[in-house]
Amino acid sequence: MIQSLANWILSFDILAGLGNPIAWGLSLFIVSALIFVFVAVNAIVLVYIERKVSAFMQVRLGPMRVGKFGSLQTVADALKLLQKEDIIPRSADKILFLIGPWVILVASVVTFAAIPFSDTLLAADMSIGLFYVVSISSIVVLGIVMAGWASNNKWSLYGAMRSAAQIISYEIPVGITLIAVVAVVGSLNLQTIVQAQGGTGNLFYWIPLPLPNWFIFHSPFLFLAAFIYLIGATAEINRTPFDIPESESELVAGFMTEFSGLRWALFFLSEYANATLVAFLVAIIFLGGWQSPFSNYAGAQIGFSILTLLAVMWTLFVKAKTQRLSFYPLGLSLMITIAAWLFPGFAIWLASPGLFWMLIKVGSVIFLLMWFRWTFPRLRVDQLMYVSWKVILPISLFNLMGVAVWMWLTGEIHF
Amino acid sequence: MADFIFWIIWALIVASAALVAFGNNLIHSVFALMGTFLGVAGIYIFLNADFLAVTQIVVYVGGILVLLVFGIMLTNKISSAQISQSSVQKWLGLIVVLGVLTIILTAVLPHDWVGSITPMAFNETVAGIGKLLFTEYLILFEIASVLLLGALIGAATLARKEL
């Protein structure tokens, strides 16, 4: 859609007088602006959801005052942050202090150019998409170090150093895990990776359980790889339980200690952009991206029927455990199931690929990340390094070899 | 438009390289180097070398530059954010630079660059690079990886406590 939008802009008569280059530049600008708007709105929504999720996990209510159920709380927060004074410490390195947050933000936003939102909604169809995303997100380190150093504050500097060490360490296992997937597809193009996961097949090739052809079900090794990637990526974006660069109990706020107002908001914006990016990558690489989990409309009907049965069991389980009835999962899945059986059109829509499935998957992964954040305690610095170099890295290397052997056993490749 | 972007990249490279060379603040120089590396990656994209461009970013910006920053920050005797970098022996340096420049220019100028430009359609380079690395240049590839492994073991040995 973005590409057709660019073509639509090019077709304007007014622009014909300006010449093609300017129209082309304008279309590029609009596409970039769309991506930035997505990231900004996404951050506002995610901050609200994160506060609500954390509240429910701690048996609180969370924001309730501004708007219905506090839904406008983050909008109010954002407006407040925009009005705040932009304080620059006297002994700070002014230039780097001003640039730092922007470097982080640009590096996080630019990566979305290669992300396929659906089969047509894609800003840049790159043959090296996955590699591009990985490489651009490594620029974030420099922005963090820039901000931390320029603050001229020991907490900031410690935070920046920890962050740099952490991101560099976790880049290696994450990269090797991604190579395992690339070895299966034979392409770095994210769109090709998603297209390779269409249709349904057996679980782990031999177990006769019809599941979508997603790479998480490709082999036991890629199943493991998905979790390795999720752990490594959580560490790479400095989220709890790996948020030692900004651990409040030790470093005040790490590399963002000295920042205020808009600049501080930029850190938040890029943090949530990065979390969304990781969720997108997990969805694209392991969960089939915009592919529907159902191969045809009968599959959708049966799939949602099974889901309803699971929801019944969930309701009974919650009832037995807590003496409370939780109707929401059951009600929702029952409604969708009935609709799928009554209206074949709806079932066909459910079975067709599209943005809807992508967002469902991304939302689930983001929820998982929030779940991590509010249930796991923070790691110590040495534990963090131990996990990266002595646990995750060997497993990911083993995974890479395992995937190659697996593909040879299933006959996907020949030597 | 493509020309316009090319000149922006060109300005970025030259300006940040000048900042690296003439800047008085060491940290500023290191971060200005990021502009140079990114600009060179942009030039690679204009040359249809997409894989090389991204590798440039991963290796230089994500690896070497971070290593440089680490090196500076782990140095002793840093008490404030202002670290000066002073250029010593400017005249000697100028002579060396002029000499190198003459050699490069004698090689570059006789060639007819503009006449030899042929516009090419963009082709994917990744598959080709992969095939070449694992067939024709396999030995060189392995030698490079052994070299890097040696450097890794060396660093680990030097960093050990009981040396």
Side-chain angles (χ1 to χ4, degrees), chain A residues 24 93 127-128 135 145 168, chain B residues 1 28 50 54 58 66 69 73:
Chain A
W24 189 58
D93 189 329
S127 58
I128 44 157
S135 76
V145 172
I168 291 174
Chain B
M1 187 67 193
H28 287 186
D50 52 352
V54 177
V58 135
V66 175
V69 173
M73 289 189 180

Side-chain angles (χ1 to χ4, degrees), chain A residues 167-394:
Chain A
I167 293 177
I168 291 174
S169 310
Y170 277 88
E171 245 173 23
I172 299 164
V174 163
I176 292 173
T177 318
L178 292 180
I179 289 173
V181 178
V182 172
V184 175
V185 193
S187 169
L188 287 167
N189 190 331
L190 288 172
Q191 197 71 296
T192 315
I193 291 176
V194 176
Q195 276 156 3
Q197 304 178 59
T200 43
N202 282 347
L203 171 66
F204 299 159
Y205 192 76
W206 281 296
I207 303 171
L209 184 64
L211 281 173
N213 258 336
W214 300 347
F215 283 139
I216 194 170
F217 303 129
H218 175 268
S219 61
F221 301 104
L222 282 192
F223 187 75
L224 192 60
F227 292 95
I228 297 285
Y229 177 75
L230 196 60
I231 295 170
T234 315
E236 248 192 304
I237 57 174
N238 297 333
R239 265 183 85 85
T240 331
F242 304 104
D243 70 337
I244 54 157
E246 43 170 305
S247 49
E248 297 91 345
S249 52
E250 305 158 34
L251 296 181
V252 190
F255 57 87
M256 30 177 130
T257 307
E258 296 287 352
F259 289 86
S260 59
L262 180 62
R263 270 166 227 293
W264 191 76
L266 291 183
F267 282 123
F268 252 64
L269 206 56
S270 56
E271 193 181 315
Y272 280 93
N274 282 332
T276 316
L277 181 77
V278 165
F280 264 109
L281 280 183
V282 171
I284 288 168
I285 293 164
F286 295 106
L287 301 178
W290 38 260
Q291 303 275 10
S292 166
F294 313 111
S295 54
N296 50 32
Y297 78 96
Q301 287 168 342
I302 294 165
F304 270 104
S305 305
I306 294 170
L307 206 68
T308 313
L309 282 180
L310 288 176
V312 169
M313 283 161 69
W314 163 256
T315 311
L316 292 176
F317 173 76
V318 171
K319 174 71 181 155
K321 278 281 181 190
T322 64
Q323 314 301 324
R324 278 171 52 235
L325 280 170
S326 95
F327 276 124
Y328 290 111
L330 181 60
L332 192 66
S333 57
L334 199 64
M335 247 164 56
I336 297 176
T337 311
I338 292 171
W341 282 100
L342 283 183
F343 310 109
F346 181 64
I348 290 169
W349 182 75
L350 281 177
S352 58
L355 184 63
F356 167 73
W357 285 114
M358 189 67 170
L359 293 182
I360 289 272
K361 288 166 189 173
V362 168
S364 316
V365 178
I366 288 178
F367 177 71
L368 201 62
L369 287 175
M370 288 176 181
W371 198 349
F372 282 175
R373 178 163 180 175
W374 297 102
T375 43
F376 289 135
R378 180 180 295 135
L379 271 75
R380 244 175 21 222
V381 183
D382 57 322
Q383 290 170 335
L384 190 88
M385 290 295 156
Y386 175 85
V387 169
S388 170
W389 293 102
K390 293 195 173 171
V391 181
I392 291 186
L393 184 60

Side-chain angles (χ1 to χ4, degrees), chain A residues 14-52:
Chain A
I14 309 166
L15 293 171
L18 297 171
N20 206 32
I22 294 174
W24 189 58
L26 195 67
S27 69
L28 286 185
F29 176 77
I30 290 178
V31 169
S32 328
L34 272 180
I35 292 176
F36 182 76
V37 167
F38 168 75
V39 169
V41 172
N42 176 57
I44 287 181
V45 174
L46 281 190
V47 171
Y48 170 70
I49 293 176
E50 172 126 46
R51 289 178 67 174
K52 274 296 186 190

